[in-house]
Amino acid sequence: MQITDVKIRKLFNDGPMKAIASVTFDAQLAVHDIKVINARDKFFIVMPSRKNPDDTYRDIAHPINAQFRAALESAVISAYEEALENADAFEVEIAE
């Protein structure tokens, strides 16, 4: 399975959540609402999830192995960094 597109939908200045992304696989399947988080000076992604009746969360979609998770995380964080550069270059307003 190939990552064919990564779109950063929204950027945030405040708080640990820095962006929301959508990723397309094999130009046929899209996964929305992947979050870019910055905590403890490290960026990572959080997959879309749903809240359970017991107030826990369960991922709706997620990578099955560490190798694919690393590839997905790298692609999303790279797209986030590129979106930040473009936002700075064009002085795009970032949500707060």
Side-chain angles (χ1 to χ4, degrees):
M1 180 172 285
Q2 297 295 316
I3 297 168
T4 51
D5 189 36
V6 179
K7 289 189 172 126
I8 301 300
R9 300 286 183 198
K10 197 167 197 177
L11 295 170
F12 300 93
N13 272 334
D14 296 334
M17 184 167 61
K18 297 301 178 187
I20 298 175
S22 293
V23 179
T24 304
F25 300 93
D26 292 339
Q28 297 184 57
L29 173 69
V31 177
H32 302 288
D33 297 333
I34 297 172
K35 296 167 189 72
V36 177
I37 306 293
N38 183 3
R40 298 183 186 143
D41 298 323
K42 181 182 176 200
F43 285 95
F44 59 94
I45 62 171
V46 174
M47 298 303 292
S49 60
R50 175 181 305 156
K51 190 173 185 179
N52 293 322
D54 64 356
D55 291 335
T56 60
Y57 287 87
R58 183 179 181 106
D59 287 349
I60 295 169
H62 59 88
I64 297 299
N65 60 51
Q67 184 179 14
F68 189 72
R69 175 174 276 285
L72 178 59
E73 191 167 75
S74 176
V76 171
I77 291 171
S78 292
Y80 163 70
E81 290 169 347
E82 186 177 321
L84 270 184
E85 288 174 14
N86 291 337
D88 289 343
F90 295 106
E91 296 184 18
V92 173
E93 187 172 321
I94 299 174
E96 294 188 29

